[in-house]
Amino acid sequence: MQYQSEVAQRAFVDIHTLEPIALAATASAAVASYAWVGRYDQKAADAAATTAMREALANAPGHGSVVIGEGEKDDAPMLFNGEIVGNGHGPDFDIAVDPLEGTSFCAKDLPGALATIAFGESGTLWSPGPGFYMDKIVVPPQAKDVIDLDDPPEETLAKVAKALGKQVSELRVVIMDKPRHKDLIARVLRAGAAVQTPAGGDVGGSLAVLLPTQDIDLLLGVGGTPEGVMTAAAVGALGGGMLGRLAPQRAEEADAIRAAGMSLDRIYNCAELVTGDAFFVATGVSGGSLLGRPRKSEGTTITESLVISSGQVRHITRTTFE
């Protein structure tokens, strides 16, 4: 009976009580990786962020399962899929994580690197199995009902522009600057929209779509599946629109997805990627318009973070005393 009571207790724990742990995890990862900003060593920066985040998550009150981690697709250090974190005394919960999103930004001291994580109730975060890449659309709430991942980009632009009360020529679109997006970028430009092409960081791009302080109307293109699930947690919390579909970039990845019994054609909406209550946290690493970089001042370390949950965006400045 004691075991049954413990399970029942876990089932009713509010996932948002874990927000301080998530914030500590991203802040620790940001500070650790900041030491590698501008040092042109992506692996070292990723390893530092991962180690710091793992140590912070070890203190989480409960049983956390890393449903989707970062690193396997490029042989980087990682919190691996299926890893269990927490002290074992508390609720079961899911985690999607990228300890350092935008490793190249960090390595080259360019704005946009973030430490990111999403927490969800147990069993709520979608696991893509062996799928490392996902084709995505992210839009503000006003356009969430007009998007279709099968539409050509010109039609998507027209529908989103109408929903937002704009002309296509007024739209600003984030598409990562990758060889796979060469044709997509050209078509969006020919349609008349402006394009922002960061080298990476599709979580940051998605946040720019969702936050009114950023001048971006939609995100298009193929990015990572960890970023997709974390993005879905933020999109769902803020009422935005998102669609995703697995988009393997190598034959081996496609074969592994099929072998796992998963479809390459199915389109997932935000509510299918995150089926229950969840929240998203990011902390700035290399600075930028979204979040500043860690700063040291008179024996303290100051970090800037966003906590996105339940229709709210909180900008948190966290001070840690050394």
Side-chain angles (χ1 to χ4, degrees), residues 4-5 34 59 71 91 118 120 126 159 175 183 205 231 235 240 256 266:
Q4 291 178 342
S5 297
Y34 180 68
N59 297 319
W126 176 70
K159 288 180 176 180
I175 306 172
D183 179 63
T231 293
V235 171
R266 179 175 173 179

Side-chain angles (χ1 to χ4, degrees), residues 137-140 143-151 156 159-160 218 220 240-243:
I137 299 177
V138 178
V139 294
K144 67 179 182 180
D145 295 325
V146 304
I147 53 175
D148 186 336
L149 207 51
D150 285 330
D151 283 345
T156 295
K159 288 180 176 180
V160 171
L218 70 155
L220 297 172
M242 177 180 177
L243 297 174

